[in-house]
Amino acid sequence: QVQLVESGGGLVQPGGSLTLSCAASGSMFSTLSMAWYRQAPGKQRELVAVISRAGARNYADSVKGRFTISIDNAKNTAALQMNDLKPEDTAVYYCKHIATNYVARSPSTYWGQGTQVTVSS
């Protein structure tokens, strides 16, 4: 079983920065990848960034050059550094963790509770 705790959201002015953190805890798992999704008011949830255990990264076009995802395999923690934030980045951000379950020997997907990011002057 895996529990995800997200932190780092808040209110920031346009052009500012925030860093989100997603920490996976529990036992009997090995992380395969971690990702960040977001859902803005009136919009569907979208993939923002994903990183594999090996460090391969992929970003949505809208955040390329501004956001950076990283992973600490030893701590089972992913971070999303967000720079040059824009009002359109306002959303609830969700962490998604894909991990191998040692008991089932198969991947499982876990979601964080979501953290609010608001970009406004």
Side-chain angles (χ1 to χ4, degrees):
Q1 299 297 312
V2 176
Q3 305 293 324
L4 301 181
V5 178
E6 300 179 21
S7 62
L11 175 65
V12 65
Q13 294 183 342
S17 299
L18 283 175
T19 299
L20 306 182
S21 178
C22 176
S25 63
S27 62
M28 309 295 286
F29 74 90
S30 179
T31 297
L32 297 176
S33 68
M34 302 190 81
W36 288 95
Y37 288 72
R38 68 186 181 187
Q39 187 165 19
K43 302 292 183 65
Q44 293 187 320
R45 188 172 300 185
E46 64 175 348
L47 176 66
V48 176
V50 60
I51 185 169
S52 72
R53 178 180 179 87
R57 298 172 172 86
N58 192 28
Y59 299 92
D61 289 340
S62 60
V63 306
K64 286 181 179 177
R66 299 188 297 119
F67 291 12
T68 302
I69 189 170
S70 61
I71 189 168
D72 184 332
N73 290 316
K75 297 180 179 180
N76 290 310
T77 300
L80 184 68
Q81 181 179 323
M82 304 183 293
N83 298 322
D84 191 25
L85 283 161
K86 305 177 184 297
E88 50 263 45
D89 295 318
T90 296
V92 177
Y93 284 70
Y94 298 91
C95 179
K96 186 179 81 171
H97 177 218
I98 299 177
T100 296
N101 185 293
Y102 289 161
V103 176
R105 298 181 180 180
S106 61
S108 297
T109 300
Y110 306 90
W111 288 90
Q113 80 282 2
T115 185
Q116 177 71 48
V117 172
T118 301
V119 184
S120 176
S121 60

